[in-house]
Amino acid sequence: MIQAASLSVSYNSQSKVPALEEVSFSVEAGERLALIGANGAGKSTLLLSLVGILPPASGELRVCGMPPDRKNLSEVRRRAALMFQNPDDQLFMPTLEEDIAFGPRNYGFTEDAIQSRMAAVLGELGISHLKNRLSHKLSGGEKRLAALAGVLVMEPSLLLLDEPSSFLDPRARRGLIRILGGLSLTMLIATHDLDLAHRLCPRVILLNHGRISADGPTEEILGNETLLEQNGL
Ligand SMILES: Nc1ncnc2c1ncn2[C@@H]1O[C@H](COP(=O)(O)OP(=O)(O)O)[C@@H](O)[C@H]1O
Ligand SMILES: [Mg+2]
């Protein structure tokens, strides 16, 4: 699903310190993996580079079998769906229905296919009743599920989530964890919510200042207090 070899990413060519430096890892189909690390560690940067928003400065990257470069961008983004940290960055059409249909319409899916996928996803997330509501008037928890519906409707093979539990109250957070746990999709979850990582992901990658400082079983990494402390967690 993902192969990164010595991947480095910078926000601008002047910056001496890259946001990601020599990052190597791979993710197999069916894996559910948490990306953890202190603020500024490079979690969001890594997700943005996977969908080609930030090109590699050096190293190699393949997502769903392709480098996410200009030539493959459309195909990569159909297969690898990124849910942004802030649902307000994702929801931009007036109603939820228009928002969810936007992606598939853009990719030229038939109206029948769009309607049936949308009904399935809204039902699965338990938000069918919100379909005609105004996106900007939804609660934090409703917005999060709406944004998730917008990525799931594309039937991606790789789901990339940036801080999915942010903006959620405890009940909405538990609901989201239950929903994500029920999806049989390859998932990479950037999160500072270590409890969520523990509940959902058998494997963790720990980032520190743009480098991988640990990659392994969640139990091992989250159980190592010294390691977490050394990495600002
Ligand atoms: N738009 C940007 N322009 C310049 N630097 C950025 C930008 N976004 C993030 N950075 C820098 O890149 C590094 C990694 O940030 P980020 O990926 O957002 O970390 P995280 O998601 O782990 O909190 C940080 O040093 C941050 O300051
Ligand atoms: Mg981030």
Side-chain angles (χ1 to χ4, degrees):
M1 278 289 160
I2 303 173
Q3 285 94 30
S6 298
L7 174 70
S8 296
V9 174
S10 290
Y11 279 92
N12 58 62
S13 46
Q14 286 87 33
S15 66
K16 290 188 194 72
V17 191
L20 285 179
E21 205 168 358
E22 304 267 327
V23 163
S24 299
F25 69 99
S26 58
V27 176
E28 302 300 321
E31 274 198 278
R32 207 145 65 191
L33 195 148
L35 201 54
I36 64 170
N39 282 336
K43 305 182 294 295
S44 298
T45 302
L46 180 54
L47 296 184
L48 294 173
S49 67
L50 293 175
V51 294
I53 293 174
L54 293 169
S58 62
E60 288 197 34
L61 179 62
R62 295 176 86 81
V63 179
C64 300
M66 299 161 270
D69 56 15
R70 187 169 299 176
K71 180 166 69 76
N72 300 316
L73 214 52
S74 165
E75 185 60 19
V76 168
R77 288 190 190 160
R78 197 181 62 73
R79 298 198 204 181
L82 169 61
M83 183 170 80
F84 291 106
Q85 173 165 11
N86 186 346
D88 288 331
D89 293 338
Q90 194 125 12
L91 304 168
F92 62 98
M93 298 294 277
T95 68
L96 186 55
E97 180 174 23
E98 290 167 280
D99 237 310
I100 295 169
F102 183 85
R105 277 203 185 112
N106 219 13
Y107 276 86
F109 294 13
T110 66
E111 207 50 40
D112 277 356
I114 295 172
Q115 292 305 325
S116 69
R117 282 181 185 213
M118 177 149 57
V121 169
L122 291 175
E124 199 178 353
L125 300 184
I127 53 169
S128 306
H129 60 291
L130 300 178
K131 200 166 128 174
N132 298 312
R133 291 268 299 278
L134 296 175
S135 301
H136 71 275
K137 292 206 170 154
L138 301 173
S139 73
E142 290 168 342
K143 278 185 186 175
R144 176 56 78 207
L145 294 180
L148 183 59
V151 293
L152 290 179
V153 75
M154 295 298 294
E155 295 184 355
S157 38
L158 173 62
L159 190 57
L160 306 168
L161 306 172
D162 198 353
E163 306 285 359
S165 62
S166 55
F167 307 106
L168 299 184
D169 64 26
R171 183 152 160 266
R173 178 182 166 279
R174 283 195 302 274
L176 180 79
I177 291 174
R178 186 162 20 84
I179 284 168
L180 293 178
L183 297 173
S184 52
L185 264 174
T186 314
M187 247 181 249
L188 185 53
I189 309 178
T191 187
H192 57 244
D193 183 341
L194 298 183
D195 176 65
L196 176 143
H198 188 254
R199 284 170 196 273
L200 288 175
C201 303
R203 177 180 161 202
V204 159
I205 287 181
L206 171 58
L207 285 174
N208 189 357
H209 291 107
R211 290 176 171 273
I212 294 183
S213 39
D215 177 352
T218 303
E219 294 284 339
E220 228 166 79
I221 291 176
L222 295 188
N224 187 339
E225 279 187 31
T226 320
L227 178 71
L228 295 181
E229 241 165 66
Q230 279 165 352
N231 288 279
L233 289 174

